[in-house]
Amino acid sequence: MTKERIHQIIFEADTPKGKAFDIGLLIAILLSVLVVMLESVDSINQEYETLLRALEWGFTILFTIEYFLRIYSINKSTKYIFSTMGIIDLLAILPTYLIFIIPSLHTLTVIRVVRIIRIFRVFKLKRYIRGAYTMQIALRKSIPKITVFLLSVLLLIIILGAIMYIIEGEWGGNPDFQDIPNSIYWSIVTLTTVGYGNVVPVTVTGKIIASIIMLLGYGIIAVPTGIITAGIVKTNKNISTQACINCSKEGHDDDAECCKYCGSQIHN
Amino acid sequence: MTKERIHQIIFEADTPKGKAFDIGLLIAILLSVLVVMLESVDSINQEYETLLRALEWGFTILFTIEYFLRIYSINKSTKYIFSTMGIIDLLAILPTYLIFIIPSLHTLTVIRVVRIIRIFRVFKLKRYIRGAYTMQIALRKSIPKITVFLLSVLLLIIILGAIMYIIEGEWGGNPDFQDIPNSIYWSIVTLTTVGYGNVVPVTVTGKIIASIIMLLGYGIIAVPTGIITAGIVKTNKNISTQACINCSKEGHDDDAECCKYCGSQIHN
Amino acid sequence: MTKERIHQIIFEADTPKGKAFDIGLLIAILLSVLVVMLESVDSINQEYETLLRALEWGFTILFTIEYFLRIYSINKSTKYIFSTMGIIDLLAILPTYLIFIIPSLHTLTVIRVVRIIRIFRVFKLKRYIRGAYTMQIALRKSIPKITVFLLSVLLLIIILGAIMYIIEGEWGGNPDFQDIPNSIYWSIVTLTTVGYGNVVPVTVTGKIIASIIMLLGYGIIAVPTGIITAGIVKTNKNISTQACINCSKEGHDDDAECCKYCGSQIHN
Amino acid sequence: MTKERIHQIIFEADTPKGKAFDIGLLIAILLSVLVVMLESVDSINQEYETLLRALEWGFTILFTIEYFLRIYSINKSTKYIFSTMGIIDLLAILPTYLIFIIPSLHTLTVIRVVRIIRIFRVFKLKRYIRGAYTMQIALRKSIPKITVFLLSVLLLIIILGAIMYIIEGEWGGNPDFQDIPNSIYWSIVTLTTVGYGNVVPVTVTGKIIASIIMLLGYGIIAVPTGIITAGIVKTNKNISTQACINCSKEGHDDDAECCKYCGSQIHN
């Protein structure tokens, strides 16, 4: 098989063989992650140890072959090896070999769940990428606002945690609020509306402040939602990616016939 | 009664009899589901066994008559039988007969709650269908973006679950994080901000990572909300693209018959 | 004092006396609700019984005078008495008298918290009413879509509750899922991401379905948010409240000069 | 060093020295807050007491020098001292000195966490300020609507709390609902979907009302989200209302200098 054919099958999904490869890869990834999960369950691991070990080696060898075929068939192989996807592809196979050589590293085994990220390999279909792309633009535009919001939330959490430490821990004698880090942890649990309930305020003042934190957490969720929604709404409005030939400025509307900065015609 | 009259009463809601039938059906559905629920409560079932059994048979016979009238009065009866609604109509009556024949199948009894889906039969009113329809368009458009989002969340949950398994389970010795599936389950409980609180991290590192998961879950809810909101906003915009012939101004509503600036007629 | 002057002070907030009355009323309402709350706390009630009782009678007599002044000063007093606000005004004073006459009705005492609704009386300021009005339009427009959504959620909850009843209760033997109503209650607790944690699934299948319910609940919150946001965005677009003189149709844009249905001029 | 140079370094971030100062300040703030947190943890405080005390004094002296340099280098020093940021700068150093003089005030130590607010000092970068500014406008516009919403939620919580007090506490005999304030606290915990789970309804009626509260809380979160999103979307829309003089078409962006349809200049 020529290098080009291998590349076509592994990296693209246009041909029937390419599609079949993608579906096979998807199933292999999902099964191999399932094996990693089941291995961690003691009762299952003891009963089916041989089977799980065999499957693990099967998938590892399969992914190793695939990894080297990718390096072989791609033109800029060095670039691929050090790309995010290349490193993930390597992390998906390396732990099994490492543990085989040095058995004491058995905790590394869990690193293999990064295999699940490889699922994104299979989603090459245009409409998914387009959807992801629009969202990425919208999210990237929202970063400055989101940063300001996150910072404010972090500050709020730290200050509210410190206040609860004094009221509940120092004054109320509640052992669950005995230090600031634990009070901040409780603050996060409450503000995000997770509410485990293993740590709760017991004093009246503590309950009042807790109520304020809950209502705050319930209300300020509206802010990031508003930011991201507005970002997506704006991105949806089909801004043309075309630059003006004359002044090379961008950001024209889709229906624009002339550049809004210099007035020269835009050929769509 | 002619086939047409029966069809009109059962399938449409325009005539007084059709409306009366719909309201009767609505009440019958709700009561029959209530009976299924109460039957499952041991104390009530023991005391009112005869009454509940009688009601159950009453509703089953009623729905059976209705089912056969539907098949009789509709033109393409085969198409109806194998449609989603036809199957639900059948599932609503079948379990009672099956359990009568083979009493050991009594678990099947619960299938009868699908009767509740039949409520949608009654909501034939135009404005509800219109509302549902607009939403369906908006949701369908959002599918590629939502898929990418859901996939990212699933990956996040699996990887965070695996990390917590190592930190809390392997290193921290927390029995609640003893295997990856349970850690992933905890991840889901925390990320979705449900937070049962029966399983909580005990180590400092575990609490820090849990805090990150909570803040993530609190924040990324903004993404699907943004996607769907933007989809609905876009779908809602019923603004016509037509310009007025007389004054050539644009921006008329879809239902406009006259130009809102000069008053001359718009030919849609 | 004339009837007109009393009306001006009680019902309007334009004059200094009217404003002073409103602020006084606001404080009286808040204090009287505080008294109702404190009365329910046994330890406080026993210690300050005389004071609380005296305050309660003070506020009741105050509100009674106000109530009769409202009836006296308003033109259509019958209409006021049977309006929502009139009934709330009556419910705010009646329980105290009733319990005085028939002491066994002491549970009625709690009805007095409806006094808090009277706070809305004080918010006559234009910008608040305008804000509330825009929101009301937006929410009213969203009703058909919200109804469809709520119905779908209710169906989901009932069916998921029934499934959990079989899996956890019947097959898993979990006593917390022993009947359908309790399973549905748990479904609601989980889907709304409240997650008390006193009832949790124990079987593997139960945990998997619980995970699906959580992710569903986490995701579908986006739908009502999207509906209401789109409604508010649309309403924000300044739709004029003016009806056409010729055809009396409404819903014209703020910048419309002619009726979009019949073409006759609109005098803004 | 001249007064101007000091001002430039401390208050601005345009010069390399100004940037270096900002980064140094950021690290000092974060470390000093970490010290405050660790001091509150008994086990750490006992082992590293000398180190923590030394670090605390180091940071306090550093911030004191910075504080006086700010006062010295700024023109309107009185205005700075009584500004929000000036007071926070003072609160960040005062507690350490006060506790040194009067050791019994050791609870004051926690006030030092307000240092974290000083982080905002460092974020002078334009795009962050711009992001925060747009959000501020959007949020300020939403205040009347948000006020009406918050008020409605507070009323709902109080009334639902009172109802639960009667049903669960009075009639159901549940000790967790023994007074109205505690019932209201539970109402807040449930409505905000925090759901600690240490207090739960036990009666059937109580569970039904709890279900309604949960569904309400799950649903009405859509309202503030809608309000804020609509506010941000509106603020984002920098579309000029100006029509082109040449072709009289509208819908140009705020920064447009030429008509996007015919290319002739727009005089803003």
Side-chain angles (χ1 to χ4, degrees), chain D:
Chain D
M1 222 166 11
T2 65
K3 205 168 153 178
E4 282 72 31
R5 286 236 40 200
I6 294 170
H7 184 274
Q8 207 175 37
I9 291 168
I10 296 184
F11 282 91
E12 264 140 87
D14 301 329
T15 57
K17 279 190 181 170
K19 261 184 200 163
F21 176 84
D22 273 6
I23 291 164
L25 186 62
L26 183 66
I27 294 165
I29 292 168
L30 292 177
L31 280 179
S32 74
V33 172
L34 195 71
V35 166
V36 174
M37 284 186 196
L38 294 179
E39 251 179 41
S40 78
V41 185
D42 275 352
S43 60
I44 294 172
N45 193 32
Q46 274 160 18
E47 207 170 325
Y48 304 97
E49 201 176 0
T50 336
L51 176 69
L52 289 172
R53 213 54 43 95
L55 278 170
E56 177 50 39
W57 275 108
F59 287 124
T60 304
I61 289 162
L62 208 79
F63 291 153
T64 311
I65 294 167
E66 185 215 342
Y67 181 64
F68 284 109
L69 279 179
R70 279 184 196 275
I71 293 176
Y72 167 70
S73 71
I74 212 163
N75 280 325
K76 299 172 183 173
S77 55
T78 331
K79 209 183 151 190
Y80 161 69
I81 290 166
F82 294 102
S83 70
T84 318
M85 261 316 185
I87 290 165
I88 288 166
D89 286 352
L90 188 64
L91 282 175
I93 51 172
L94 217 61
T96 313
Y97 295 111
L98 274 175
I99 295 160
F100 184 71
I101 302 166
I102 316 159
S104 65
L105 291 173
H106 70 275
T107 312
L108 278 178
T109 194
V110 177
I111 295 173
R112 289 173 300 161
V113 292
V114 298
R115 280 174 188 166
I116 199 77
I117 301 175
R118 301 184 73 231
I119 270 184
F120 275 118
R121 282 218 165 283
V122 183
F123 284 86
K124 298 167 192 164
L125 290 121
K126 259 199 168 166
R127 58 191 202 115
Y128 288 101
I129 286 170
R130 208 189 136 79
Y133 184 71
T134 327
M135 261 170 65
Q136 232 176 56
I137 294 178
L139 294 181
R140 200 166 296 165
K141 268 186 198 163
S142 311
I143 286 172
K145 280 181 203 162
I146 292 282
T147 309
V148 172
F149 172 75
L150 264 184
L151 212 71
S152 313
V153 167
L154 274 174
L155 262 62
L156 208 67
I157 284 167
I158 289 171
I159 290 168
L160 289 170
I163 292 172
M164 284 304 278
Y165 159 67
I166 299 180
I167 291 171
E168 279 288 317
E170 294 275 290
W171 297 344
N174 187 339
D176 292 322
F177 291 86
Q178 71 195 349
D179 52 46
I180 299 183
N182 269 315
S183 298
I184 289 172
Y185 175 67
W186 172 86
S187 257
I188 294 172
V189 172
T190 301
L191 193 96
T192 57
T193 77
V194 171
Y196 282 141
N198 56 336
V199 175
V200 286
V202 292
T203 64
V204 172
T205 332
K207 280 178 181 179
I208 290 170
I209 290 168
S211 298
I212 293 167
I213 297 175
M214 285 172 218
L215 288 170
L216 262 173
Y218 182 67
I220 58 177
I221 182 71
V223 177
T225 307
I227 293 167
I228 286 173
T229 305
I232 295 176
V233 167
K234 216 179 175 180
T235 314
N236 265 351
K237 261 185 211 150
N238 296 314
I239 288 169
S240 162
T241 56
Q242 197 146 17
C244 171
I245 302 166
N246 192 34
C247 70
S248 75
K249 279 188 182 161
E250 291 183 342
H252 305 292
D253 293 345
D254 247 6
D255 64 338
E257 284 160 34
C258 296
C259 170
K260 66 176 181 177
Y261 298 106
C262 71
S264 59
Q265 270 209 304
I266 298 170
H267 301 281
N268 283 302

